[in-house]
Amino acid sequence: MFEELEDRGWLLTREDGSAQVFDGIAATSGQPYGLLDLTYRDIYNLWVERHRQLVEDGLDAPACDAQIAIPDGVTARNGETGPANGGTIGRQVSIRL
């Protein structure tokens, strides 16, 4: 799944244009992951639809308390950036590799 999302440009990227891969955290069972770039309408709509399906299947509310530090040089499709430029990236969802 990661490769497909990276090919479509639906993950946050590094300065060289490749997907940013984050080190594993407790929420990902220690597995490395990428973050969806929800500033891109297509992936945002997919994310909304998947969550709608979960609710229809009985999920009361999705929850994640992971604290994710966005490194310098990470960029969203709409130009929002990581901390080096004010840390304006606001909406992300993790995808396990």
Side-chain angles (χ1 to χ4, degrees):
M1 177 182 244
F2 181 88
E3 290 79 16
E4 178 183 348
L5 294 170
E6 182 177 28
D7 287 345
R8 292 177 183 234
W10 288 355
L11 300 172
L12 296 179
T13 61
R14 297 184 289 217
E15 291 174 337
D16 66 4
S18 63
Q20 171 65 38
V21 177
F22 294 85
D23 292 333
I25 57 174
T28 65
S29 300
Q31 296 296 308
Y33 63 97
L35 292 176
L36 296 176
D37 179 355
L38 297 179
T39 67
Y40 186 56
R41 176 74 50 199
D42 288 346
I43 192 60
Y44 177 77
N45 290 337
L46 177 65
W47 182 82
V48 168
E49 183 56 32
R50 293 268 174 103
H51 281 79
R52 184 175 291 125
Q53 291 170 354
L54 289 170
V55 170
E56 288 172 0
D57 289 343
L59 180 69
D60 290 328
C64 181
D65 63 358
Q67 299 295 313
I68 301 168
I70 306 296
D72 291 344
V74 173
T75 305
R77 183 179 211 91
N78 72 350
E80 291 182 15
T81 60
N85 296 306
T88 59
I89 293 176
R91 300 177 293 179
Q92 309 90 21
V93 176
S94 68
I95 297 295
R96 291 185 187 180
L97 299 177

